[in-house]
């Protein structure tokens, strides 16, 4: 007789051919689980292939303006069918021609038959491919900018609220001089401001590939315009204008230099680094029970340990950030290995790293906004950690006050040293609270400050200029940027954190 273990092994051995037919294809978790609708749309087939049609229409429009025989009716058909994409027909044509661009040329031609003779006139595949990539990069950067600005505004409120709250500073993850909770948030914001500056620079300076031809020489367009160099230059400029670009890249091979991809992914990597650092801090603070990220009423922290409140959103940020930070290396290798005017080994990897870099970075910023907006600080826990270390930090002040009252500096210093060693032994050896102040309060050598000992160890006396630094940083650096981007602050995201 078979045991239950044998029966299980028999049942589990083979996956039935007819089981779960709708769930047998891999689903990318970045898209299915995390990505926002807005960024997904930027990199969607709908955006990509309608941009191809816009480029073909912009090219034909500019060619007509410069004297090529293209009728208004042809242009009208192209404009009318910008968003009328038959994806099934395009796939059939691609399978027939073994070429994705020509598949879509013919699908566009079916929708705009009178325009078929002039679609893609003088162009190469990279005219639509590369220029569309740059349009998508530009639109994606604008979305990233909006979310960066919104995160900065949320953190501004947090920093203002906690500008004066003393907290332990840490170096080497060991207690150091005090800072404030608001000042620490400003450190996070400083990184994000540097990221925003690079994002804005890339948006402003990003070039279009333009009309360059098969190896970047514009030979086909020079032929089209009967050797008229000025018309070829005008065509390049006009297509850029119609696609809302300020400029085209000055020279190219078949593609725009893949150095641009590296630069863009480096910017995204920078954002990921900033987010990782911020959320790493939050995770450590959560362990200390000083800070908690938002936690839903029915959220489960652990399937086994029901009491847990894990900082799972911050952990997700760090997880995705680690991936984004790895992408510039792939872009660097792709750029370095482009032989002469172009090799096609750039194609497959760019289809992955460009969309995924933006999708992941967008999720990271959505999570940062969510975490920052709902982050809880527990002041009493923060204070308890401060007071556990403050007595050691206050000894210099106590020493100075006693000397001013006529005490012997060397004698006082030795007494503090002995008391500090004994108090440290109690903390580390016996697990008891720091009793240094109690020892000082009982030592007649320090009688001059016994009556004001409590006032000498007010944590706010040990934070330096941290509150003022918060005010100055927000006033001088953050608020002018927020004011310049008020329109972005008013825009609402289509969706929020999914899980």
């Amino acid at each position: 007789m078979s045991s239950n273990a044998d029966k299980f092994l028999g049942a589990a051995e083979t996956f039935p051919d007819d089981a779960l037919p709708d769930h047998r294809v891999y689903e990318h978790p970045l898209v299915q689980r995390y990505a926002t609708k807005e960024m997904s749309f930027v990199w969607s087939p709908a955006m990509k292939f309608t941009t191809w049609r816009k480029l073909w229409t912009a090219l034909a429009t500019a060619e007509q303006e410069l004297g090529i025989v293209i009728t208004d009716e042809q242009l009208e058909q192209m404009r009318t069918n910008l968003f009328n994409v038959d994806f099934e027909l395009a796939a059939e044509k691609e399978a027939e021609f073994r070429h994705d661009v020509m598949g879509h040329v013919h699908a566009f031609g079916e929708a705009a038959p009178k325009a078929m003779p002039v679609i893609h006139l003088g162009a190469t595949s990279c005219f639509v491919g590369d220029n569309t990539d740059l349009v998508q990069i530009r639109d994606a950067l604008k979305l990233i900018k909006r979310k960066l600005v919104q995160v900065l505004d949320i953190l501004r409120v947090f920093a203002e609220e906690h500008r004066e709250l003393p907290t332990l500073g840490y170096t080497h993850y060991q207690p150091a001089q005090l800072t404030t909770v608001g000042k620490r948030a400003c450190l996070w914001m400083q990184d994000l401001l540097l990221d925003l500056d690079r994002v804005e620079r890339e948006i402003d300076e990003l070039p279009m590939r333009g009309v360059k031809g098969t190896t970047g020489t514009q030979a086909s367009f020079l032929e089209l315009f009967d050797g008229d160099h000025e018309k070829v230059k005008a065509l390049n400029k006009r297509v850029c204008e119609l696609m809302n670009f300020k400029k085209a890249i000055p020279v190219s091979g078949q593609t725009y230099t893949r150095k641009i991809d590296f630069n863009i992914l480096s910017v995204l990597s920078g954002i990921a680094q900033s987010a990782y650092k911020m959320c790493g801090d939050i995770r450590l603070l959560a362990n200390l029970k000083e800070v908690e990220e938002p936690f839903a009423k029915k959220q489960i922290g652990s399937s086994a340990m029901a009491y847990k409140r894990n900082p799972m959103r911050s952990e997700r940020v760090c997880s995705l950030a680690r991936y984004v930070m790895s992408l510039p290396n792939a872009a660097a290798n792709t750029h370095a290995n482009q032989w002469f005017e172009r090799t096609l080994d750039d194609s497959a990897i760019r289809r992955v790293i460009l969309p995924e870099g933006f999708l992941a970075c967008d999720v990271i910023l959505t999570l940062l906004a969510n975490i920052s907006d709902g982050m809880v600080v527990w002041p009493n826990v923060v204070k308890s950690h401060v007071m556990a270390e403050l007595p050691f930090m206050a000894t210099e002040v106590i020493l100075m006050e006693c000397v001013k009252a006529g005490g012997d500096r060397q004698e006082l210093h030795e007494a503090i040293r002995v008391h500090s060693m004994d108090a440290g032994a109690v903390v580390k050896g016996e697990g008891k609270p720091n009793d240094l102040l109690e020892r000082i309060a009982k030592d007649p050598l320090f009688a001059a400050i016994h009556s004001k000992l409590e006032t000498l160890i007010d944590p706010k006396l040990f934070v330096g200029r941290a509150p003022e630094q918060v005010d100055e940083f927000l006033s001088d650096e953050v608020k002018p940027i927020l004011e310049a981007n008020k329109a972005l602050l008013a825009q609402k995201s289509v969706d929020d954190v999914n899980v």
Side-chain angles (χ1 to χ4, degrees):
M1 182 176 179
S2 297
S3 67
N4 283 325
D6 291 333
K7 291 176 182 177
F8 161 71
L9 292 173
E13 183 177 7
T14 304
F15 202 102
D17 291 338
D18 58 349
L20 307 175
D22 297 329
H23 300 276
R24 297 173 72 103
V25 176
Y26 173 74
E27 294 180 347
H28 200 309
L30 185 55
V31 176
Q32 298 295 327
R33 187 171 176 83
Y34 302 125
T36 66
K37 293 182 177 66
E38 290 175 286
M39 189 59 81
S40 292
F41 174 68
V42 171
W43 296 97
S44 66
M47 173 63 82
K48 175 178 179 177
F49 294 112
T50 58
T51 303
W52 282 16
R53 293 193 175 190
K54 291 176 186 178
L55 284 160
W56 281 321
T57 306
L59 177 63
T61 300
E63 288 172 338
Q64 186 206 53
E65 290 176 355
L66 290 165
I68 301 301
V69 180
I70 296 174
T71 68
D72 290 345
E73 185 180 14
Q74 287 174 316
L75 294 177
E76 175 62 23
Q77 279 200 355
M78 295 175 78
R79 291 192 300 267
T80 302
N81 288 282
L82 290 175
F83 303 101
N84 177 29
V85 181
D86 186 336
F87 283 97
E88 290 186 8
L89 177 60
E92 290 174 9
K93 293 295 184 181
E94 179 179 349
E96 179 183 347
F97 301 131
R98 308 295 295 174
H99 198 287
D100 58 348
V101 172
M102 289 310 298
H104 277 271
V105 165
H106 282 262
F108 196 14
E110 290 281 344
K114 292 187 181 299
M116 183 61 179
V118 298
I119 294 172
H120 201 64
L121 182 58
T124 187
S125 297
C126 283
F127 169 71
V128 287
D130 272 31
N131 283 319
T132 293
D133 289 342
L134 291 165
V135 169
Q136 290 174 300
I137 288 170
R138 180 186 62 186
D139 290 353
L141 283 171
K142 289 179 179 178
L143 180 55
I144 292 295
K145 176 184 175 180
R146 188 188 92 201
K147 294 199 173 184
L148 264 175
V149 169
Q150 291 172 342
V151 170
L152 285 166
D153 190 44
I154 295 168
L155 284 173
R156 171 193 60 81
V157 175
F158 180 87
E160 287 176 339
E161 181 180 354
H162 301 290
R163 62 181 290 278
E164 290 186 305
L165 181 59
T167 188
L168 277 178
Y170 290 92
T171 58
H172 312 272
Y173 197 40
Q174 302 300 312
Q177 288 188 342
L178 301 190
T179 182
T180 69
V181 172
K183 170 62 188 300
R184 181 173 285 143
C186 289
L187 298 181
W188 303 335
M189 297 170 73
Q190 175 70 82
D191 288 345
L192 294 172
L193 280 176
L194 293 172
D195 297 324
L196 178 61
D197 180 68
R198 289 200 62 194
V199 168
E200 290 179 326
R201 198 181 321 152
E202 291 295 343
I203 292 172
D204 188 58
E205 297 179 0
L206 187 70
M208 191 178 177
R209 174 188 175 273
V211 290
K212 293 290 197 292
T214 56
T215 58
T217 65
Q218 298 175 308
S220 60
F221 296 104
L222 191 63
E223 177 69 24
L224 186 65
F225 286 104
D226 297 323
D228 191 328
H229 289 264
E230 292 306 313
K231 284 193 173 182
V232 175
K233 290 162 61 177
L235 177 71
N236 191 44
K237 183 174 183 293
R238 184 59 175 146
V239 170
C240 288
E241 291 171 350
L242 290 171
M243 295 303 295
N244 294 314
F245 277 85
K246 296 177 183 178
K247 61 184 179 181
I249 195 165
V251 294
S252 75
Q254 187 173 94
T255 68
Y256 68 81
T257 172
R258 298 317 186 204
K259 174 73 77 174
I260 289 176
D261 295 345
F262 172 77
N263 290 343
I264 295 298
L265 287 170
S266 295
V267 172
L268 301 186
S269 172
I271 295 170
Q273 294 161 35
S274 302
Y276 198 117
K277 189 267 188 287
M278 172 180 163
C279 288
D281 286 354
I282 292 171
R283 291 165 65 190
L284 293 169
L285 292 169
N287 172 261
L288 298 173
K289 296 181 172 59
E290 292 189 8
V291 164
E292 286 178 352
E293 66 176 36
F295 200 86
K297 185 176 181 180
K298 293 190 176 183
Q299 182 174 329
I300 296 173
S302 168
S303 62
M305 295 168 280
Y307 59 87
K308 294 198 76 178
R309 293 184 62 152
N310 299 328
M312 57 188 294
R313 297 178 197 184
S314 294
E315 291 174 309
R316 190 182 312 152
V317 167
C318 292
S319 183
L320 291 170
R322 194 176 301 132
Y323 175 64
V324 176
M325 288 188 287
S326 74
L327 297 180
N329 186 55
N333 278 293
T334 299
H335 172 250
N337 282 285
Q338 284 298 285
W339 302 341
F340 303 113
E341 281 64 50
R342 194 267 174 101
T343 57
L344 195 60
D345 61 350
D346 67 336
S347 179
I349 194 168
R350 294 178 67 255
R351 292 173 189 257
V352 175
I353 61 176
L354 287 174
E356 290 189 4
F358 277 104
L359 287 165
C361 197
D362 178 58
V363 176
I364 287 168
L365 290 172
T366 300
L367 285 164
L368 285 190
N370 178 271
I371 293 166
S372 302
D373 195 37
M375 188 156 48
V376 178
V377 177
W378 298 108
N380 289 334
V381 178
V382 174
K383 185 176 181 181
S384 71
H385 292 150
V386 168
M387 297 311 296
E389 302 293 338
L390 187 60
F392 296 124
M393 301 177 195
T395 55
E396 183 71 14
V397 174
I398 293 171
L399 178 65
M400 291 299 103
E401 289 296 316
C402 288
V403 170
K404 285 191 289 184
D408 182 310
R409 191 266 177 198
Q410 310 310 329
E411 186 179 13
L412 289 164
H413 184 277
E414 176 60 17
I416 288 174
R417 187 190 69 80
V418 172
H419 287 318
S420 296
M421 295 300 104
D422 292 343
V426 168
V427 172
K428 297 174 183 177
E430 302 178 30
K432 294 180 179 179
N434 188 335
D435 64 354
L436 176 58
L437 295 180
E438 295 173 20
R439 293 172 184 272
I440 291 174
K442 294 175 182 177
D443 189 336
L445 194 61
F446 297 91
I449 54 89
H450 282 170
S451 63
K452 57 180 181 180
L453 187 56
E454 289 296 322
T455 62
L456 292 178
I457 59 166
D458 181 350
K460 291 185 178 180
L461 299 176
F462 296 86
V463 298
R465 296 193 66 253
E468 291 74 22
Q469 286 179 336
V470 171
D471 295 339
E472 292 161 6
F473 176 69
L474 295 180
S475 175
D476 298 345
E477 305 296 332
V478 178
K479 290 182 180 178
I481 289 174
L482 298 179
E483 179 65 24
N485 290 282
K486 285 191 297 186
L488 296 181
L489 292 175
Q491 295 181 33
K492 302 297 181 183
S493 295
V494 172
D495 46 6
D496 200 354
V497 175
N498 295 324
V499 291

